[in-house]
Amino acid sequence: MADKPGGISEQDIGGPADVARIILPVRGMTCASCVRRLEGILKQADGVYRADVNLATEKATVEYDPSIASPAALKQAVRDAGFEVEAVEQQADEDRERVARERALRRLTRDFVIGAVFTTIVLLGSLPHMYPPWGEFAPDILTAPLVLFLLTMPVQFGSGWRFYVGSYAALRHGTANMNVLVALGTTTAWAYSAAMTLFPNFLTGLGFPYQLYYDVATVIITLILLGRLLEARARGKTSEAIRKLMGLQVKTARVIRDGREEDIPITEVAVGDQIVVRPGERVPVDGIITTGRSALDESMLTGESIPVEKSVGDEVIGATINKTGTFTFQATKVGRDTVLAQIIRLVEEAQGSKAPIQRLADVVAAYFVPGVVATAVLSFIVWFVFGPPPTFVFALTIFIAVLIIACPCALGLATPTAIQVGTGRGAENGILFKGSESLETAHRVQVVIFDKTGTLTEGKPVLTDIIPRGEFGEEELLKWAASVETRSEHPLGEAIVAEAKQRGLSLAEPEEFQAISGHGVHVRVQGREVLIGNRRLMADRGIPVADLDEDFARLSGEGKTPVFLAIDGESAGILAMADTLKKNSVQAVKELQNLGLEVIMMTGDNRRTAEAIARQVGIKRVLAEVLPAHKAREVKRLQEEGKVVAMVGDGLNDAPALAQANVGIAIGTGTDVAMEASDVTLITGDLRGVVTALRLSKATIGIIKQNLFWAFAYNIVLIPVAAGVLYPLYGILLNPMLAAAAMAFSSISVVLNSLRLRWFKPAAAKV
């Protein structure tokens, strides 16, 4: 596995001995064309078998031959492509990566704030130039062209410098991206304005129209920086899941060496060491129990809340919690081989393997930029040869008009504004999207997988049935059972006690308490012998329970956990516990099915219990007895069938599957790790939020497509007009000022269209 998750890591990945993997944190990618360009450069490097660049996690995963390529060479290839690669080393990798990410976010925030401040001032000073009647609202000093020239400099060459750097890196490798579009459009507008400011008489004397576009240049840069800032903040915590998983690792272990116990760092534990674990402690590494017995909470692994009884010869897993007895076990897996380490690897690899979202704007921009430049150059040449005198001035005016009409303001706003409004509307409905990628992907979901425990169900057992026998009534039976379980730490016992307290029953204090491992408990209460446990316990004590067999089978078939109760050697009845369905689980499943989606339940629980719960909730397909690694594998299997999969879960054991899924949806009431590994979080835990999230995604993507249509429609219609196609027939020539106005109007239409999402409402289920 990757022994440095979240940072730079190298590992053997199995198969040929000459294949290794390195994960490089990359900074400076802005769009899908950046991803394609970096992947292409890495794939061309000597000794590289495969390169996968992830825009969402800002990481490049490279498989290479270590005898030919080296980490240093691969990092240099990334730098040569114009990107930054973080030099993260050893133990401090997570902290250093987080510091680097926060530093980049601070720089972006600083550039946006500077841009916003100066843009506001420039807009105020540009009022007389944009619309003379508004000139009285602007101070005279701000309206001076030279002042506007100076005020624009910090935006154009300060906040906007990143666009020049990105453009240079792209053009140097023969490609174009959004940086090129932004730099080209804003520089053209700014340069024309600067020339007109510094040499007005000369240029107007040549026939150039007097017009300033300082406001156009600054607004474009500032708004696009805002979009990038919103995306950067949404992507900022992609490695938190791995960091919290690593936090579960025990720091020390109590090892028996030379006949005595000593605490040593976990890194010094070796396979074969004898390790002692006391009640309440976490198991340090994986191993096999050699002496003692206990009940272990394996919810971090299986998601099931009921502790598992363990004795000599049973396997224990690192990071699980010892609930009751003390035991000694022999370490069998340490370091990167433990189950916890494998889960960390699964989360990291699943996150890194997610394909970057192919934003339509970025894809088209790769062809749009050279197309616009080619159109502008061709127009200049044609009108320079065939245009009216002075041909150079006429051709240059058309060249500028074509570039300005292609300014990418609306193109840059099309996605971020819709994403911003959509995610805001989602938050109002208790749904948190981690970033634009998750919101964009959710609309394509075809299969929804639900974890059982803690997701469809409440996650803890409650007493559901009391079936008394003989002279005992229901409340009397519950009183005896709860009195027995007051000293028990078992979740089933806690469920019995909780129900008794809720009914206000007065409980007696046990006089003697004996836990019979794997069978139940034997207690003396107020002079009476009370047994609670399974059929084996009753048989060992010679207590007949045949008259309860039918009820026992029925309750078991309903997915419940029944236990027998005997008092003074006589059968007294059955109590049954179950993990009950959450409110609205049935409604949520029904709504998803009404949307035409396939709904699957996946759980680590036994098949009989799983199928019983599935019947109650209306799910037909069940994947039972599935461990964490297999959960991610099941998700991947569906993806390999060409299906877009959403995984809904709440536990640590769900983290790999949440990360592997196209859309991971975490219940807000679940673990922090599950939420960090997911793409969407339901704050309240109401599963109807899954339906709302998918519907909101569809609505948002619809708005984005409309925005992109309008953003490109202006260019498609007006670029030919700017190029002068109407001039020979009608004498119509698009003035650069009108071109800027059309560009501004396209931006307004995009923003107003995005705001329609504020009226999105979750539809009521038809159940």
Side-chain angles (χ1 to χ4, degrees):
M1 66 152 244
D3 59 346
K4 297 171 235 175
I8 296 177
S9 60
E10 298 175 61
Q11 69 181 71
D12 293 330
I13 59 172
D18 59 349
V19 178
R21 174 180 293 160
I22 184 172
I23 299 177
L24 303 168
V26 180
R27 302 287 179 260
M29 296 186 293
T30 59
C31 62
S33 58
C34 295
V35 171
R36 292 194 298 272
R37 178 161 59 89
L38 182 55
E39 283 182 346
I41 291 171
L42 288 171
K43 288 175 181 177
Q44 292 172 7
D46 292 339
V48 172
Y49 298 120
R50 179 174 172 269
D52 183 14
V53 179
N54 190 309
L55 179 63
T57 59
E58 296 184 293
K59 292 177 183 177
T61 303
V62 185
E63 294 176 6
Y64 65 99
D65 183 344
S67 65
I68 301 175
S70 68
L74 295 173
K75 286 184 275 187
Q76 188 59 46
V78 174
R79 295 190 184 98
D80 291 342
F83 303 104
E84 299 177 18
V85 57
E86 298 296 333
V88 186
E89 302 295 343
Q90 300 302 327
Q91 192 64 33
D93 58 347
E94 289 296 329
D95 292 336
R96 292 189 182 182
E97 186 190 6
R98 180 171 56 186
V99 168
R101 187 170 58 244
E102 291 174 351
R103 184 171 61 248
L105 187 59
R106 284 196 300 269
R107 286 199 299 262
L108 185 55
T109 303
R110 178 202 62 199
D111 290 344
F112 166 69
V113 171
I114 292 174
V117 170
F118 280 94
T119 296
T120 302
I121 300 173
V122 169
L123 284 174
L124 183 60
S126 300
L127 287 177
H129 303 282
M130 293 187 295
Y131 188 61
W134 291 352
E136 61 186 65
F137 297 105
D140 291 339
I141 190 173
L142 293 182
T143 62
L146 187 58
V147 173
L148 290 174
F149 169 77
L150 296 174
L151 288 172
T152 309
M153 296 282 281
V155 182
Q156 188 70 39
F157 301 105
S159 299
W161 185 248
R162 64 178 63 235
F163 300 120
Y164 291 105
V165 174
S167 297
Y168 171 74
L171 294 173
R172 190 159 60 93
H173 289 89
T175 62
N177 57 17
M178 284 291 289
N179 288 319
V180 174
L181 204 58
V182 174
L184 188 61
T186 59
T187 301
T188 301
W190 180 86
Y192 184 91
S193 304
M196 193 59 67
T197 298
L198 299 175
F199 312 104
N201 295 330
F202 174 73
L203 293 175
T204 54
L206 293 176
F208 284 97
Y210 183 85
Q211 184 62 50
L212 302 180
Y213 304 107
Y214 290 124
D215 53 317
V216 173
T218 56
V219 167
I220 289 173
I221 289 174
T222 302
L223 288 178
I224 293 178
L225 284 175
L226 174 60
R228 290 193 177 181
L229 179 61
L230 294 174
E231 290 190 23
R233 288 185 173 176
R235 295 201 308 258
K237 295 186 177 180
T238 53
S239 62
E240 289 295 321
I242 295 175
R243 183 157 36 250
K244 291 184 178 179
L245 282 166
M246 292 176 69
L248 293 175
Q249 177 63 66
V250 179
K251 306 301 181 185
T252 62
R254 187 173 295 107
V255 179
I256 300 176
R257 289 182 176 173
D258 299 326
R260 56 189 180 84
E261 296 181 10
E262 60 177 295
D263 291 335
I264 64 172
I266 192 68
T267 55
E268 296 180 10
V269 175
V271 173
D273 277 342
Q274 293 290 324
I275 303 173
V276 179
V277 183
R278 298 193 174 102
E281 296 179 343
R282 286 188 182 272
V283 178
V285 295
D286 300 357
I288 303 294
I289 294 179
T290 54
T291 61
R293 62 173 63 245
S294 184
L296 274 75
D297 178 358
E298 295 186 340
S299 57
M300 60 77 60
L301 178 68
T302 66
E304 304 306 320
S305 57
I306 299 176
V308 180
E309 299 287 341
K310 299 281 187 177
S311 59
V312 175
D314 289 334
E315 182 182 15
V316 293
I317 306 298
T320 56
I321 302 173
N322 181 24
K323 299 291 287 186
T324 55
T326 299
F327 64 89
T328 302
F329 74 97
Q330 183 180 30
T332 57
K333 294 179 181 179
V334 300
R336 65 174 62 187
D337 297 323
T338 64
V339 171
L340 177 61
Q342 292 171 16
I343 291 177
I344 293 173
R345 183 198 68 201
L346 288 171
V347 173
E348 183 184 41
E349 291 183 353
Q351 287 184 339
S353 65
K354 282 186 177 180
I357 301 300
Q358 301 297 315
R359 294 180 176 84
L360 181 58
D362 293 326
V363 173
V364 175
Y367 305 96
F368 183 70
V369 176
V372 169
V373 174
T375 301
V377 171
L378 181 62
S379 300
F380 176 86
I381 294 172
V382 169
W383 289 112
F384 182 72
V385 175
F386 301 105
T391 56
F392 178 80
V393 174
F394 188 87
L396 188 59
T397 301
I398 286 181
F399 177 79
I400 294 173
V402 171
L403 291 179
I404 290 180
I405 199 65
C407 281
C409 191
L411 192 60
L413 287 171
T415 297
T417 54
I419 293 293
Q420 184 178 10
V421 179
T423 53
R425 190 65 184 131
E428 293 172 4
N429 287 277
I431 302 165
L432 295 180
F433 291 92
K434 178 172 289 187
S436 59
E437 291 85 0
S438 56
L439 187 59
E440 287 177 322
T441 306
H443 82 287
R444 298 187 291 109
V445 167
Q446 299 166 295
V447 178
V448 179
I449 302 176
F450 283 99
D451 174 56
K452 179 183 78 68
T453 305
T455 303
L456 288 170
T457 66
E458 292 292 347
K460 61 179 182 179
V462 296
L463 183 66
T464 57
D465 298 87
I466 303 175
I467 302 176
R469 283 291 185 269
E471 62 186 52
F472 301 100
E474 183 176 297
E475 290 206 346
E476 185 180 7
L477 191 67
L478 176 59
K479 176 181 177 180
W480 284 109
S483 297
V484 168
E485 297 290 358
T486 54
R487 291 187 180 179
S488 173
E489 296 178 354
H490 198 288
L492 296 181
E494 293 173 354
I496 295 173
V497 174
E499 178 65 21
K501 289 182 177 179
Q502 184 176 349
R503 297 192 184 192
L505 301 181
S506 178
L507 306 182
E509 183 67 21
E511 299 163 8
E512 297 177 8
F513 185 94
Q514 179 187 5
I516 305 170
S517 181
H519 299 295
V521 295
H522 176 203
V523 182
R524 178 180 292 276
V525 181
Q526 294 182 339
R528 308 190 71 170
E529 302 288 338
V530 182
L531 287 173
I532 296 180
N534 56 23
R535 187 187 303 276
R536 178 67 178 275
L537 177 62
M538 298 298 136
D540 289 346
R541 300 302 173 95
I543 299 173
V545 292
D547 59 326
L548 295 170
D549 282 349
E550 184 177 340
D551 291 317
F552 190 92
R554 175 180 58 81
L555 294 170
S556 298
E558 294 173 356
K560 300 174 182 178
T561 303
V563 294
F564 294 100
L565 180 68
I567 300 177
D568 291 335
E570 297 292 334
S571 173
I574 290 178
L575 293 89
M577 281 66 65
D579 189 2
T580 57
L581 286 176
K582 282 184 177 179
K583 181 182 179 181
N584 300 321
S585 290
V586 175
Q587 183 179 355
V589 169
K590 184 65 175 178
E591 279 197 64
L592 290 171
Q593 292 169 338
N594 289 341
L595 290 175
L597 302 177
E598 181 182 2
V599 182
I600 300 172
M601 188 180 82
M602 183 160 57
T603 178
D605 211 343
N606 65 75
R607 178 161 294 278
R608 183 177 64 180
T609 300
E611 291 181 345
I613 295 294
R615 284 194 298 271
Q616 295 176 37
V617 80
I619 294 177
K620 297 180 180 179
R621 184 174 177 183
V622 178
L623 302 174
E625 301 174 7
V626 183
L627 292 176
H630 296 165
K631 285 188 176 184
R633 186 187 304 169
E634 293 292 342
V635 172
K636 190 172 183 179
R637 182 178 293 120
L638 289 167
Q639 291 172 326
E640 290 171 347
E641 295 174 5
K643 296 180 179 178
V644 180
V645 180
M647 172 71 194
V648 188
D650 77 314
L652 173 61
N653 64 296
D654 300 322
L658 288 171
Q660 176 65 47
N662 299 91
V663 179
I665 304 177
I667 304 301
T669 51
T671 67
D672 290 340
V673 173
M675 289 186 280
E676 294 296 347
S678 67
D679 302 297
V680 184
T681 298
L682 308 183
I683 300 174
T684 63
D686 189 337
L687 293 184
R688 290 177 298 178
V690 176
V691 184
T692 301
L694 299 183
R695 291 185 59 251
L696 180 58
S697 173
K698 291 179 183 293
T700 304
I701 295 304
I703 292 293
I704 289 174
K705 290 179 179 179
Q706 294 168 15
N707 287 348
L708 291 172
F709 168 79
W710 288 111
F712 288 115
Y714 284 103
N715 290 305
I716 292 172
V717 173
L718 292 179
I719 283 179
V721 176
V725 295
L726 299 180
Y727 185 80
L729 296 177
Y730 305 103
I732 297 175
L733 190 65
L734 186 63
N735 186 285
M737 179 59 186
L738 295 178
M743 181 275 299
F745 182 73
S746 69
S747 302
I748 294 173
S749 67
V750 163
V751 173
L752 292 178
N753 192 47
S754 296
L755 289 174
R756 294 196 301 115
L757 282 169
R758 293 201 57 79
W759 285 272
F760 171 86
K761 292 182 180 180
K766 297 178 181 179
V767 184

